[in-house]
Amino acid sequence: MPVKTALVTGATSGIGEATALKLRQLGYTVYGAARRTGRFQKLADHGIHPVAMDVTDDDSMQAGVDRIITETGRVDVLANIAGYGSYGALEDVPLDEARHQFEVNVFGALRLTQLVLPHMRTQHSGTVVNVTSMGGKIYTPLGGWYHGTKFALEALSDCLRLETKPFGIDVVVIEPGGIATEWGAIAADKLEKSSSNGAYADQAAAVASSLRSEANTNRNSPPAVIADAIGKAVTARRPKTRYATGFGARPLIALRRILPDRTFDTVISRAVGLPR
């Protein structure tokens, strides 16, 4: 049996790095893709093949997939993990920034999926793992553009799962809760840049404080929790369609399912400390 091959995006930090290391531990030939090439040494030290890739650059994605096929002849796992959070009031966020977030979080993941699917169909096997968020099921104030990307990726994953089933390809959604990564600080910085002045300033101050709060940071789960879920999914004979894990993911998704909209509005507003 040939050694299985995995491509992991966002592989130089956080969930992506933990996933690349986990899949290597499970015996995969792993290609770790990222823009920040200065962080590649740790991957290489663990036997992971670094790939310079920008998920908003079609040529770099095509080159990366071509390299993997040339070197291994197959792609068994695509883990779409590259992404970021850009917060700000819908009214304030420039459309260029909103579009860029969709390019990274949605179109980059799906374009890379388009590139690997012909190879998976030829093999009649493969797993596409799309890391969304509990934010693909719930919502928070001033996070509309970010949540829009994650809701979109959830829906696209469901459609893709139906389309690829006849070809022996699984599509799995991972829905992280609070994870100890750079995500919160980046989202808070983007929020303050777009909405710290003007009509939404009070809300922005509250949400940025919540994103950076030490209490939340201390409760967040390590990235390895998500990597373990991905490892479980790609090695299962019949993986679940969704894995919700990490701090707060399961209870908050359950609350969203149970509570009326306006009641959930109140719960979330109080949780992030919005001024009344």
PDB file of all heavy atoms in Angstrom, residues 202-222:
ATOM      1  N   ASP A 202     -18.401  52.164  21.198  1.00  0.00           N
ATOM      2  CA  ASP A 202     -18.639  51.507  22.488  1.00  0.00           C
ATOM      3  C   ASP A 202     -18.723  49.988  22.325  1.00  0.00           C
ATOM      4  O   ASP A 202     -18.174  49.227  23.126  1.00  0.00           O
ATOM      5  CB  ASP A 202     -19.920  52.029  23.137  1.00  0.00           C
ATOM      6  CG  ASP A 202     -19.793  53.470  23.620  1.00  0.00           C
ATOM      7  OD1 ASP A 202     -18.648  53.952  23.720  1.00  0.00           O
ATOM      8  OD2 ASP A 202     -20.843  54.101  23.886  1.00  0.00           O
ATOM      9  N   GLN A 203     -19.426  49.555  21.284  1.00  0.00           N
ATOM     10  CA  GLN A 203     -19.501  48.116  21.026  1.00  0.00           C
ATOM     11  C   GLN A 203     -18.109  47.560  20.692  1.00  0.00           C
ATOM     12  O   GLN A 203     -17.732  46.476  21.159  1.00  0.00           O
ATOM     13  CB  GLN A 203     -20.447  47.838  19.863  1.00  0.00           C
ATOM     14  CG  GLN A 203     -21.910  48.133  20.149  1.00  0.00           C
ATOM     15  CD  GLN A 203     -22.791  47.728  18.970  1.00  0.00           C
ATOM     16  OE1 GLN A 203     -22.649  46.632  18.435  1.00  0.00           O
ATOM     17  NE2 GLN A 203     -23.702  48.609  18.572  1.00  0.00           N
ATOM     18  N   ALA A 204     -17.350  48.303  19.898  1.00  0.00           N
ATOM     19  CA  ALA A 204     -16.023  47.842  19.503  1.00  0.00           C
ATOM     20  C   ALA A 204     -15.116  47.675  20.714  1.00  0.00           C
ATOM     21  O   ALA A 204     -14.371  46.696  20.815  1.00  0.00           O
ATOM     22  CB  ALA A 204     -15.399  48.816  18.504  1.00  0.00           C
ATOM     23  N   ALA A 205     -15.185  48.607  21.645  1.00  0.00           N
ATOM     24  CA  ALA A 205     -14.350  48.514  22.846  1.00  0.00           C
ATOM     25  C   ALA A 205     -14.703  47.277  23.653  1.00  0.00           C
ATOM     26  O   ALA A 205     -13.820  46.564  24.150  1.00  0.00           O
ATOM     27  CB  ALA A 205     -14.518  49.773  23.684  1.00  0.00           C
ATOM     28  N   ALA A 206     -15.999  46.988  23.769  1.00  0.00           N
ATOM     29  CA  ALA A 206     -16.433  45.820  24.543  1.00  0.00           C
ATOM     30  C   ALA A 206     -16.017  44.520  23.871  1.00  0.00           C
ATOM     31  O   ALA A 206     -15.503  43.604  24.524  1.00  0.00           O
ATOM     32  CB  ALA A 206     -17.952  45.859  24.721  1.00  0.00           C
ATOM     33  N   VAL A 207     -16.226  44.411  22.567  1.00  0.00           N
ATOM     34  CA  VAL A 207     -15.912  43.166  21.863  1.00  0.00           C
ATOM     35  C   VAL A 207     -14.399  42.955  21.802  1.00  0.00           C
ATOM     36  O   VAL A 207     -13.910  41.830  21.996  1.00  0.00           O
ATOM     37  CB  VAL A 207     -16.536  43.163  20.458  1.00  0.00           C
ATOM     38  CG1 VAL A 207     -16.100  41.929  19.675  1.00  0.00           C
ATOM     39  CG2 VAL A 207     -18.063  43.198  20.560  1.00  0.00           C
ATOM     40  N   ALA A 208     -13.633  44.022  21.565  1.00  0.00           N
ATOM     41  CA  ALA A 208     -12.175  43.885  21.535  1.00  0.00           C
ATOM     42  C   ALA A 208     -11.650  43.432  22.895  1.00  0.00           C
ATOM     43  O   ALA A 208     -10.754  42.584  22.979  1.00  0.00           O
ATOM     44  CB  ALA A 208     -11.527  45.203  21.132  1.00  0.00           C
ATOM     45  N   SER A 209     -12.218  43.976  23.949  1.00  0.00           N
ATOM     46  CA  SER A 209     -11.819  43.571  25.304  1.00  0.00           C
ATOM     47  C   SER A 209     -12.130  42.100  25.538  1.00  0.00           C
ATOM     48  O   SER A 209     -11.328  41.361  26.123  1.00  0.00           O
ATOM     49  CB  SER A 209     -12.536  44.440  26.338  1.00  0.00           C
ATOM     50  OG  SER A 209     -12.230  44.017  27.647  1.00  0.00           O
ATOM     51  N   SER A 210     -13.285  41.652  25.057  1.00  0.00           N
ATOM     52  CA  SER A 210     -13.663  40.248  25.208  1.00  0.00           C
ATOM     53  C   SER A 210     -12.721  39.336  24.428  1.00  0.00           C
ATOM     54  O   SER A 210     -12.297  38.285  24.913  1.00  0.00           O
ATOM     55  CB  SER A 210     -15.101  40.047  24.732  1.00  0.00           C
ATOM     56  OG  SER A 210     -15.457  38.687  24.759  1.00  0.00           O
ATOM     57  N   LEU A 211     -12.365  39.745  23.212  1.00  0.00           N
ATOM     58  CA  LEU A 211     -11.473  38.937  22.383  1.00  0.00           C
ATOM     59  C   LEU A 211     -10.090  38.781  23.009  1.00  0.00           C
ATOM     60  O   LEU A 211      -9.433  37.756  22.845  1.00  0.00           O
ATOM     61  CB  LEU A 211     -11.332  39.572  20.992  1.00  0.00           C
ATOM     62  CG  LEU A 211     -12.549  39.462  20.064  1.00  0.00           C
ATOM     63  CD1 LEU A 211     -12.391  40.386  18.864  1.00  0.00           C
ATOM     64  CD2 LEU A 211     -12.747  38.021  19.603  1.00  0.00           C
ATOM     65  N   ARG A 212      -9.670  39.809  23.732  1.00  0.00           N
ATOM     66  CA  ARG A 212      -8.328  39.788  24.330  1.00  0.00           C
ATOM     67  C   ARG A 212      -8.326  39.362  25.795  1.00  0.00           C
ATOM     68  O   ARG A 212      -7.259  39.244  26.389  1.00  0.00           O
ATOM     69  CB  ARG A 212      -7.710  41.182  24.247  1.00  0.00           C
ATOM     70  CG  ARG A 212      -7.360  41.659  22.859  1.00  0.00           C
ATOM     71  CD  ARG A 212      -6.384  42.827  22.938  1.00  0.00           C
ATOM     72  NE  ARG A 212      -6.051  43.335  21.621  1.00  0.00           N
ATOM     73  CZ  ARG A 212      -6.544  44.448  21.099  1.00  0.00           C
ATOM     74  NH1 ARG A 212      -7.414  45.166  21.783  1.00  0.00           N
ATOM     75  NH2 ARG A 212      -6.180  44.844  19.896  1.00  0.00           N
ATOM     76  N   SER A 213      -9.483  39.159  26.379  1.00  0.00           N
ATOM     77  CA  SER A 213      -9.557  38.961  27.824  1.00  0.00           C
ATOM     78  C   SER A 213      -8.749  37.755  28.283  1.00  0.00           C
ATOM     79  O   SER A 213      -8.756  36.691  27.668  1.00  0.00           O
ATOM     80  CB  SER A 213     -11.007  38.814  28.281  1.00  0.00           C
ATOM     81  OG  SER A 213     -11.503  37.547  27.966  1.00  0.00           O
ATOM     82  N   GLU A 214      -8.043  37.943  29.390  1.00  0.00           N
ATOM     83  CA  GLU A 214      -7.214  36.875  29.942  1.00  0.00           C
ATOM     84  C   GLU A 214      -8.068  35.691  30.368  1.00  0.00           C
ATOM     85  O   GLU A 214      -7.650  34.533  30.233  1.00  0.00           O
ATOM     86  CB  GLU A 214      -6.414  37.406  31.127  1.00  0.00           C
ATOM     87  CG  GLU A 214      -5.386  36.426  31.652  1.00  0.00           C
ATOM     88  CD  GLU A 214      -4.497  37.023  32.719  1.00  0.00           C
ATOM     89  OE1 GLU A 214      -4.449  38.265  32.820  1.00  0.00           O
ATOM     90  OE2 GLU A 214      -3.863  36.253  33.450  1.00  0.00           O
ATOM     91  N   ALA A 215      -9.274  35.975  30.872  1.00  0.00           N
ATOM     92  CA  ALA A 215     -10.161  34.882  31.309  1.00  0.00           C
ATOM     93  C   ALA A 215     -10.498  33.963  30.145  1.00  0.00           C
ATOM     94  O   ALA A 215     -10.429  32.732  30.258  1.00  0.00           O
ATOM     95  CB  ALA A 215     -11.434  35.449  31.925  1.00  0.00           C
ATOM     96  N   ASN A 216     -10.855  34.552  28.997  1.00  0.00           N
ATOM     97  CA  ASN A 216     -11.163  33.734  27.825  1.00  0.00           C
ATOM     98  C   ASN A 216      -9.920  33.011  27.317  1.00  0.00           C
ATOM     99  O   ASN A 216      -9.975  31.830  26.952  1.00  0.00           O
ATOM    100  CB  ASN A 216     -11.739  34.604  26.705  1.00  0.00           C
ATOM    101  CG  ASN A 216     -13.185  34.988  26.960  1.00  0.00           C
ATOM    102  OD1 ASN A 216     -13.875  34.357  27.756  1.00  0.00           O
ATOM    103  ND2 ASN A 216     -13.641  36.041  26.303  1.00  0.00           N
ATOM    104  N   THR A 217      -8.808  33.730  27.302  1.00  0.00           N
ATOM    105  CA  THR A 217      -7.566  33.130  26.820  1.00  0.00           C
ATOM    106  C   THR A 217      -7.183  31.914  27.652  1.00  0.00           C
ATOM    107  O   THR A 217      -6.750  30.878  27.122  1.00  0.00           O
ATOM    108  CB  THR A 217      -6.426  34.169  26.849  1.00  0.00           C
ATOM    109  OG1 THR A 217      -6.782  35.276  26.013  1.00  0.00           O
ATOM    110  CG2 THR A 217      -5.127  33.563  26.352  1.00  0.00           C
ATOM    111  N   ASN A 218      -7.347  32.017  28.951  1.00  0.00           N
ATOM    112  CA  ASN A 218      -6.969  30.906  29.836  1.00  0.00           C
ATOM    113  C   ASN A 218      -7.875  29.698  29.675  1.00  0.00           C
ATOM    114  O   ASN A 218      -7.474  28.568  29.967  1.00  0.00           O
ATOM    115  CB  ASN A 218      -6.985  31.369  31.299  1.00  0.00           C
ATOM    116  CG  ASN A 218      -5.849  32.330  31.598  1.00  0.00           C
ATOM    117  OD1 ASN A 218      -4.856  32.370  30.886  1.00  0.00           O
ATOM    118  ND2 ASN A 218      -6.001  33.123  32.653  1.00  0.00           N
ATOM    119  N   ARG A 219      -9.118  29.936  29.234  1.00  0.00           N
ATOM    120  CA  ARG A 219     -10.056  28.819  29.056  1.00  0.00           C
ATOM    121  C   ARG A 219      -9.927  28.146  27.696  1.00  0.00           C
ATOM    122  O   ARG A 219     -10.399  27.029  27.511  1.00  0.00           O
ATOM    123  CB  ARG A 219     -11.503  29.306  29.247  1.00  0.00           C
ATOM    124  CG  ARG A 219     -11.879  29.616  30.681  1.00  0.00           C
ATOM    125  CD  ARG A 219     -13.391  29.740  30.814  1.00  0.00           C
ATOM    126  NE  ARG A 219     -13.903  30.871  30.072  1.00  0.00           N
ATOM    127  CZ  ARG A 219     -14.192  32.058  30.613  1.00  0.00           C
ATOM    128  NH1 ARG A 219     -13.983  32.271  31.895  1.00  0.00           N
ATOM    129  NH2 ARG A 219     -14.676  33.045  29.884  1.00  0.00           N
ATOM    130  N   ASN A 220      -9.329  28.845  26.750  1.00  0.00           N
ATOM    131  CA  ASN A 220      -9.246  28.311  25.390  1.00  0.00           C
ATOM    132  C   ASN A 220      -8.485  26.982  25.351  1.00  0.00           C
ATOM    133  O   ASN A 220      -7.556  26.761  26.125  1.00  0.00           O
ATOM    134  CB  ASN A 220      -8.569  29.314  24.456  1.00  0.00           C
ATOM    135  CG  ASN A 220      -9.486  30.455  24.077  1.00  0.00           C
ATOM    136  OD1 ASN A 220     -10.703  30.374  24.275  1.00  0.00           O
ATOM    137  ND2 ASN A 220      -8.920  31.532  23.551  1.00  0.00           N
ATOM    138  N   SER A 221      -8.908  26.128  24.425  1.00  0.00           N
ATOM    139  CA  SER A 221      -8.285  24.815  24.268  1.00  0.00           C
ATOM    140  C   SER A 221      -7.022  24.920  23.420  1.00  0.00           C
ATOM    141  O   SER A 221      -6.914  25.797  22.557  1.00  0.00           O
ATOM    142  CB  SER A 221      -9.260  23.854  23.598  1.00  0.00           C
ATOM    143  OG  SER A 221     -10.454  23.741  24.336  1.00  0.00           O
ATOM    144  N   PRO A 222      -6.060  24.012  23.608  1.00  0.00           N
ATOM    145  CA  PRO A 222      -4.860  24.017  22.771  1.00  0.00           C
ATOM    146  C   PRO A 222      -5.182  23.561  21.348  1.00  0.00           C
ATOM    147  O   PRO A 222      -6.127  22.791  21.133  1.00  0.00           O
ATOM    148  CB  PRO A 222      -3.931  23.020  23.471  1.00  0.00           C
ATOM    149  CG  PRO A 222      -4.853  22.112  24.220  1.00  0.00           C
ATOM    150  CD  PRO A 222      -6.020  22.954  24.638  1.00  0.00           C
TER     151      PRO A 222
END
